Amino acid sequence: MDAILQKESLGRWIAKLQERGEVYAPEFVEDAWEFTKVERGASVELDHTNTVLPAKGFVFPQREVLYRFRIENGKTPELTDTELSVKPMVVFGVRPCDGRATVRNDRVFTCGVSDPYYQARRDSVVFIGLACNAPPSPNCFCVAVGGSPCSEDGLDVLMTDLDGRYHVKALTDKGRDVVNAASDLFQAATAADRNEVSNAQVAALEYPQRSISAMDLVVAALKRNFESPLWDQLARTCIGCGACTYLCPTCHCFDINDEVTSKSPLTGARVRTWDNCQFPDFTMHSSGHNPREDTGARLRQRICHKLLYFVETHNMQQCTGCGRCITHCPVGIDIVRIANVMEEGVWQ
Amino acid sequence: MNGNAYLPQLARIIHIKEEVPGARAIKTFRVEFMNGGGFDHEPGQCAMISVFGKGESMISIASAPTITDYKQFSIMRSGRVTTAIHDMKVGDVIGVRGPYGNRFPVGDWKGRNLVFIGGGCGLAPIWPVIQTAVANRSDFGRITVFYGGRTSRDIMYAAELEKLRGEADVYLSIDSPEDGWDGYCGFVPANVMDKPQNPHNAIAITCGPPIMIKFVINNLREMGFADEQIYTTIENKMKCGIGKCGRCNVGKDYVCVKGPVYSWAQLKSLPQEY
Ligand SMILES: Cc1cc2nc3c(=O)[nH]c(=O)nc-3n(C[C@H](O)[C@H](O)[C@H](O)COP(=O)(O)OP(=O)(O)OC[C@H]3O[C@@H](n4cnc5c(N)ncnc54)[C@H](O)[C@@H]3O)c2cc1C
Ligand code: SF4
Ligand code: SF4
Ligand code: FES
């Protein structure tokens, strides 16, 4: 199902959706684009490149209470499960790389034993994507990892900016539902509109992006170079800050801890928070033994997880080419460069 | 498994035995599920133990799968959670969720000779396998158990090991000589080397500190054991137990799901990150 929305009607569509739940959209706050909650009546302009934090937090929050516990002195513990019904949420302006990240996060959280917290959010959150038909950011490389600036994967709706109006394509039931909620605002898409969308998609692919010279050979190259001294050389400047993984739309590692709010009666919550394979204690046993002792081993883990292990398990890279880990690394460690270095086997 | 995989069941401690004293003490806890809860397990599987207010730890289920009244865990005091459970008493309530991980393929080993090699706390994960083999004694050939601790006070399951002598050859060791010790003096891998095992029709199962496992495997291979005849378990740090938190991977495997039991043939094909 596709339709046309005049740009001046975007605010009315958002207002309509706010009657049913919260709406989020990218906003330039201080010096960075962030997804923020749209206040009623506020105007939204979808002219961001990409947000600093990815959209993953809507389905996998940075901090989440799993359940609460309460133990009266000497009594049996009482556990209270977190209410798993999530209020409806619509997120505008999700870039296709973050949409494709959702497909990967679904693999992690819903295959095998399903994660009920992720699943509840995933069922309630609507991702409205926005195709990238303007020049990309300097570190974008979605095409190199099998994506495209107009990919529909993992999104509920894909919007394409056509000068003065949006082409709006609903891709899932959730997506059709949010379009139908304001059907009077949309006009039917014509053959000419669709033609314009195809042209925009072709044009989008013509903007140069960063490239990985032989992506199909990277799997073999990473296997071949597992013990290579290249890893230590590449990681020598890494300060272990973890920005690369916190900002990554597909990084899903988490820690589980107890937060105590009162000692007597003992009350508190079991909480999960994003965690990070670039930290030494991520893998360190309490005996002090650490299977990944240095920054080289930890960088290798991050890159191999993205470009080797996930491919072996799920037949797709766990990197969607958003470029955040490159842009925000304080010392310039660069996954595209590493992939090329691994294939070539040298680094100068 | 249905419902919320992160939510533990409540279990009451019904028995505590002090196995080993000292800074890295080991205690064995028997727990009984409350409110009609519980689950079945296979030898080699683990469970997440909760001490509310402190956190969770992955611990091997050390009781035989046939025991349904209680589950047993032998826990070394090493950090926040394990210290908290060491401070608990009979009647206290913990959380237990599981079972997690794969199992030792004991059913495939019928008719074989079994050689168990454990060190330190590493007797706990293989104990249910020993129990299963002994309970079906006629299904197996010779059963041999090597086990060592740093000193004679570090030998866990001492009484149970004595009882086992009727069913199995038991060779105990301590690192250095002590008055009154009539077993072997030296490290576990050396004790195994001292009593060479015939690899023919045998399966070796080893569990203990990573460094011990490494030497034991070298020695077994020197005796002619093939990679497929050697089994071990690995203990990567774990948080979720269900392949989500990304903590425990070795290469593409999440050990909490694909492990912790591996044959050396399988483990050799994975990166050495354990
Ligand atoms: C498959 C498996 C089976 C195990 N079986 C046993 C057993 O039968 N008996 C026993 O005493 N110990 C066992 N361990 C080790 C035990 O899990 C750790 O010693 C324990 O988690 C340490 O927790 P802590 O809070 O006391 O230590 P801290 O150092 O305070 O650890 C904090 C957190 O780190 C994690 N952690 C630290 N060390 C380890 C480790 N070695 N392995 C896994 N997670 C760790 C835990 O999530 C823990 O909550 C096993 C580990 C695994 C992975
Ligand atoms: S952002 Fe850069 S410096 Fe920080 S942990 Fe990642 S690679 Fe290392
Ligand atoms: S690895 Fe880097 S480029 Fe790839 S998805 Fe994650 S943050 Fe984006
Ligand atoms: S413990 Fe979480 S993935 Fe294995």
Side-chain angles (χ1 to χ4, degrees), chain A residues 113 115 117 270 275 285, chain B residues 4 6 50 235 237 244 247:
Chain A
V113 178
D115 186 294
Y117 305 92
R270 184 149 295 166
D275 204 352
H285 295 193
Chain B
N4 185 342
Y6 296 96
S50 279
E235 290 194 359
K237 203 163 165 177
K244 313 288 181 213
R247 178 77 54 150

Side-chain angles (χ1 to χ4, degrees), chain A residues 26-42:
Chain A
E27 185 188 359
F28 199 75
V29 186
E30 289 175 18
D31 57 355
W33 285 100
E34 300 298 349
F35 286 106
T36 57
K37 191 173 148 192
V38 181
E39 297 305 331
R40 277 176 191 270

Side-chain angles (χ1 to χ4, degrees), chain A residues 66-67 69 71 75-82 84 107-117 226-227 252-260 263 266 270 272 275 281-287 289-292 297-298 300-301 305 308-310 312-313, chain B residues 1 3-10 12 24 34-35 48-56 78-80 82 91 93-95 97 100 210-211 234-254 258 270-274:
Chain A
L66 301 179
Y67 53 89
F69 51 83
I71 310 178
K75 296 227 178 84
T76 305
E78 290 165 44
L79 306 184
T80 321
D81 208 347
T82 304
L84 284 179
R107 287 295 179 104
V108 173
F109 285 106
T110 66
C111 286
V113 178
S114 177
D115 186 294
Y117 305 92
F226 195 83
E227 303 288 353
H252 61 82
C253 291
F254 59 83
D255 198 359
I256 301 180
N257 282 296
D258 284 7
E259 291 178 1
V260 173
K263 292 250 189 255
L266 181 70
R270 184 149 295 166
R272 79 162 159 206
D275 204 352
D281 64 358
F282 187 76
T283 45
M284 192 167 78
H285 295 193
S286 46
S287 65
H289 170 69
N290 194 347
R292 288 200 280 270
R298 296 193 280 272
R300 179 178 64 191
Q301 161 65 18
H305 193 184
L308 171 61
Y309 307 148
F310 209 79
E312 291 179 306
T313 309
Chain B
M1 217 172 320
N4 185 342
Y6 296 96
L7 209 59
Q9 304 189 39
L10 298 179
R12 190 180 300 283
R24 292 171 72 75
M34 300 164 67
N35 315 320
M48 267 292 183
I49 304 295
S50 279
V51 178
F52 299 106
K54 299 293 179 186
E56 288 186 306
S78 51
R80 196 172 53 224
T82 52
V93 175
I94 61 168
R97 58 186 178 93
Y100 295 126
I211 185 76
I234 52 181
E235 290 194 359
N236 275 21
K237 203 163 165 177
M238 294 184 180
K239 285 289 171 176
C240 70
I242 54 174
K244 313 288 181 213
C245 76
R247 178 77 54 150
C248 66
N249 79 297
V250 174
K252 68 176 173 25
D253 277 19
Y254 283 129
K258 292 286 178 67
L270 295 175
Q272 276 207 19
E273 291 197 327
Y274 40 84

Side-chain angles (χ1 to χ4, degrees), chain B residues 88-105:
Chain B
M88 292 182 117
K89 29 185 215 314
V90 169
D92 286 347
V93 175
I94 61 168
V96 181
R97 58 186 178 93
Y100 295 126
N102 64 351
R103 59 198 173 82
F104 287 99

Side-chain angles (χ1 to χ4, degrees), chain A residues 58-107:
Chain A
F58 290 104
V59 283
F60 172 45
Q62 191 163 5
R63 175 184 177 282
E64 177 163 50
V65 172
L66 301 179
Y67 53 89
R68 294 178 194 283
F69 51 83
R70 177 184 176 85
I71 310 178
E72 293 281 355
N73 205 7
K75 296 227 178 84
T76 305
E78 290 165 44
L79 306 184
T80 321
D81 208 347
T82 304
E83 191 62 62
L84 284 179
S85 62
V86 178
K87 46 185 184 257
M89 245 185 239
V90 180
V91 186
F92 275 86
V94 178
R95 292 298 184 181
C97 49
D98 281 11
R100 294 183 80 237
T102 304
V103 176
R104 281 128 188 95
N105 297 335
D106 284 351
R107 287 295 179 104

